[in-house]
Amino acid sequence: MDKKAGVRRRSPLYRGVAFLGRTLWGELQGIVVDPVRELWRRGPSALSLAFVACAGVIFFHAIAQNDTGEKIVREVGGVQGDLPLWQALLRTPISLYVPALDLPVWAGITQLFLAFALAEVALGRARTLFIAYASTLSGTLTVRVMLALGPDHWGGLPPEIGQVLDTGPSAAVVGLFTYMSVIRRAPIVFTLTGGSMVVESIAKPNLAGREHLIAVAAALVMGLLHGRGERLRARVRAALPEWVRRPGPGRTEVALAEVGAAQEAEPKQAGVPAVRVRGEAAQECGRVP
């Protein structure tokens, strides 16, 4: 009885700390422990994308240490708001590996490796690349919209912002962490990533802060849509006419029908059972290229 009374008398602070501990433990299991187990099963090859991303940042950082190399890096992966759209789209994938000039590169590499490693093990290479590129591209395209609006409209940017160099993997890192926190239902990780971007944009209202907020929003939408692709494809198939949904005969079915018709047209050989005839037809079908 005393024990039950003690439980009832627990303060809201104790219950809050206990809830926080349980939530942190669940998020640790979903975001860290499960990927580490998968990494142990698959081996170091599961981190190839993370190693390539870090190597790319180190490579471009080393090249940009002199004036000639900096010019080359800017021409290859430098994205600005006043560039033609086709040129910005071509440079955006490379700009993920060009470190930002105003940030320490080695601290950024640590975050980059952690984000890509966890995402690559948990999501796979293709989806990790898609989320990282979509988060970066959403910020790049939205900045162009803000420049088109101009400073006279809410959310618009002055024309001189179009000349600011916009590179770095930070938007991809934020997008990957946000996406992982949404699909793994980790509100604390989401608050630390998305909330820190809000604080950054308020404390230092610059172009990078806005792009980080856009990357968080894009990753949030993609995370909420995670797992609904099959449902959407089923609805699309249901809305199509029946003659479109009905699959046509494949090459194997057509070949089997042709061989069977040829066997039926030939006169039956004496003493050859029907089972053997059907077996020979199936073998002929298997040899059809």
Side-chain angles (χ1 to χ4, degrees), residues 9 17 28 56-57 99 113 121 134 138 141-142 165 178 198 233 236 240 247 252 270 286:
R9 288 195 298 268
V17 171
L28 181 67
V57 173
F113 181 83
V121 175
S138 62
L141 296 180
T142 307
L165 187 64
T178 302
V198 174
R233 287 191 291 268
V236 171
L240 293 175
T252 303

Side-chain angles (χ1 to χ4, degrees), residues 121-139:
V121 175
L123 307 175
R125 295 189 185 96
R127 183 170 295 179
T128 299
L129 281 175
F130 175 78
I131 299 301
Y133 181 69
S135 301
T136 303
L137 186 62
S138 62

Side-chain angles (χ1 to χ4, degrees), residues 37-286:
R37 288 175 180 171
E38 183 67 17
L39 175 62
W40 181 264
R41 186 183 66 84
R42 294 168 54 186
S45 61
L47 301 180
S48 58
L49 186 61
F51 284 118
V52 169
C54 293
V57 173
I58 295 173
F59 173 75
F60 283 108
H61 173 71
I63 291 180
Q65 295 305 305
N66 54 69
D67 295 338
T68 304
E70 183 179 356
K71 184 177 180 181
I72 294 174
V73 172
R74 195 182 186 98
E75 291 293 329
V76 173
V79 177
Q80 298 173 192
D82 57 357
L83 283 176
L85 180 60
W86 66 270
Q87 200 169 3
L89 293 177
L90 287 177
R91 294 183 181 183
T92 298
I94 305 176
S95 70
L96 269 73
Y97 308 107
V98 178
L101 300 179
D102 57 342
L103 294 177
V105 62
W106 297 111
I109 286 177
T110 304
Q111 299 177 5
L112 175 67
F113 181 83
L114 184 61
F116 270 82
L118 292 175
E120 183 179 4
V121 175
L123 307 175
R125 295 189 185 96
R127 183 170 295 179
T128 299
L129 281 175
F130 175 78
I131 299 301
Y133 181 69
S135 301
T136 303
L137 186 62
S138 62
T140 301
L141 296 180
T142 307
V143 166
R144 303 179 73 89
V145 175
M146 294 178 181
L147 289 172
L149 290 174
D152 297 333
H153 296 81
W154 182 84
L157 293 172
E160 55 267 20
I161 298 296
Q163 301 177 1
V164 176
L165 187 64
D166 179 21
T167 59
S170 56
V173 171
V174 172
L176 288 173
F177 275 125
T178 302
Y179 185 84
M180 287 283 294
S181 64
V182 172
I183 66 173
R184 294 301 174 97
R185 299 180 181 178
I188 296 178
V189 176
F190 177 79
T191 303
L192 292 176
T193 54
S196 63
M197 293 302 102
V198 174
V199 173
E200 176 193 356
S201 62
I202 295 175
K204 191 178 179 181
N206 54 10
L207 181 63
R210 293 197 182 194
E211 289 194 343
H212 291 165
L213 288 179
I214 296 166
V216 169
L220 176 61
V221 173
M222 289 186 289
L224 294 176
L225 295 176
H226 174 75
R228 301 187 179 183
E230 184 61 33
R231 217 175 298 172
L232 179 61
R233 287 191 291 268
R235 291 181 180 179
V236 171
R237 284 196 298 266
L240 293 175
E242 186 178 357
W243 63 273
V244 177
R245 286 185 281 129
R246 185 188 302 117
R251 294 181 60 186
T252 303
E253 288 80 1
V254 172
L256 182 59
E258 291 178 353
V259 173
Q263 291 287 345
E264 291 179 359
E266 293 178 356
K268 293 184 178 180
Q269 300 177 8
V272 179
V275 177
R276 181 179 172 185
V277 173
R278 288 195 297 268
E280 293 175 353
Q283 291 178 2
E284 290 294 333
C285 174

